[in-house]
Amino acid sequence: MASTSAEIVAFLLTISGWVLVSSTLPTDYWKVSSIDGTVITTATFWANLWKTCVTDSTGVSNCKDFPSMLALDGYIQACRGLMISAVCLGFFGSIFGLVGMKCTKIGGSDQNKARIACLAGLIFILCGLCSMTGCSLYAHRITSEFFDPSFVAQKYELGAALFIGWAGASLCIIGGSIFCFSIAENSKSPRRAYAYNGAASVMSTRTKIHNSVPDQTSPKHFDKNAYV
């Protein structure tokens, strides 16, 4: 019962983490910067993996999509690949996790379901690592430009999407680790021992019957005249 509850908790954690990781791709604010006036914020610059935008004080946004994938910086291409890989891994991990849970009726025996659950845990851990790496790589580029005194272009700060990605990656790693422990708990569970009584052979049965039935034939006595 404890193992089943742990698997349900792990499944909820991993699904929540996968949803958070997936939501970072369309999120606008991967990095953000603002130009403040004397009274109000005159303009807000923000960008994500697909476009860069500017919003003025009236709320009107002007966006520009990245022109070509081949002309992008290397870190943006790497972050795109890592985040898309994390979303795909989370999808397959959720399927394997649903099949490997003990509370479902598919997947075969408990030992086979434990292996599937462990595989789902490994996939979710890999999903979390991909998301963590992608967000950290993007954040490293932002912080290195922000603290570089020789960088004269627009400086940005960390956006909300990075924190959402880190939170989702953490949930995926924690839930995947719980899934991996399910195979260890299954191996420690005691197995029932069944005694097998082999069928007696036909010859031994006949021998027992022959020995149990007494010989009721009376001995024959012959006198001397019987041979004449």
Side-chain angles (χ1 to χ4, degrees):
M1 186 65 182
S3 178
T4 304
S5 302
E7 288 180 350
I8 294 175
V9 172
F11 185 75
L12 293 177
L13 288 175
T14 51
I15 291 298
S16 301
W18 176 55
V19 171
L20 289 177
V21 170
S22 302
S23 65
T24 58
L25 281 176
T27 302
D28 294 330
Y29 298 101
W30 277 67
K31 60 181 180 179
V32 61
S33 179
S34 60
I35 298 177
D36 298 329
T38 56
V39 179
I40 61 175
T41 301
T42 58
T44 301
F45 298 88
W46 50 273
N48 56 14
L49 297 177
W50 317 102
K51 59 186 177 180
T52 178
C53 300
V54 58
T55 304
D56 58 15
S57 59
T58 61
V60 178
S61 298
N62 295 319
C63 297
K64 179 183 178 182
D65 294 333
F66 294 132
S68 175
M69 184 181 69
L70 299 179
L72 289 176
D73 294 333
Y75 78 99
I76 296 181
Q77 296 182 9
C79 291
R80 281 183 179 183
L82 288 170
M83 297 305 295
I84 293 173
S85 300
V87 173
C88 295
L89 288 171
F91 173 75
F92 290 109
S94 61
I95 295 177
F96 284 114
L98 187 62
V99 173
M101 294 176 65
K102 292 182 180 180
C103 57
T104 58
K105 300 297 182 182
I106 53 179
S109 62
D110 289 343
Q111 189 174 8
N112 191 26
K113 291 170 75 68
R115 294 193 184 98
I116 298 175
C118 182
L119 177 61
L122 293 176
I123 294 175
F124 273 118
I125 291 174
L126 187 59
C127 167
L129 291 177
C130 287
S131 177
M132 188 77 70
T133 304
C135 294
S136 299
L137 181 62
Y138 199 91
H140 174 71
R141 182 60 178 261
I142 295 174
T143 54
S144 62
E145 291 178 352
F146 186 85
F147 292 106
D148 187 5
S150 61
F151 186 76
V152 295
Q154 181 70 33
K155 294 184 178 182
Y156 291 88
E157 296 181 2
L158 303 179
L162 297 176
F163 298 99
I164 295 174
W166 283 325
S170 301
L171 291 177
C172 288
I173 293 174
I174 294 172
S177 301
I178 298 175
F179 265 131
C180 290
F181 286 124
S182 62
I183 190 171
E185 293 179 1
N186 185 75
S187 61
K188 293 179 182 179
S189 60
R191 299 181 179 179
R192 294 182 179 179
Y194 294 94
Y196 174 74
N197 296 325
S201 61
V202 178
M203 295 300 294
S204 60
T205 305
R206 289 181 178 178
T207 305
K208 292 179 181 179
I209 295 174
H210 178 73
N211 294 333
S212 61
V213 177
D215 189 6
Q216 298 178 357
T217 57
S218 59
K220 296 181 181 180
H221 300 280
F222 300 97
D223 53 3
K224 293 180 179 180
N225 294 329
Y227 296 99
V228 179

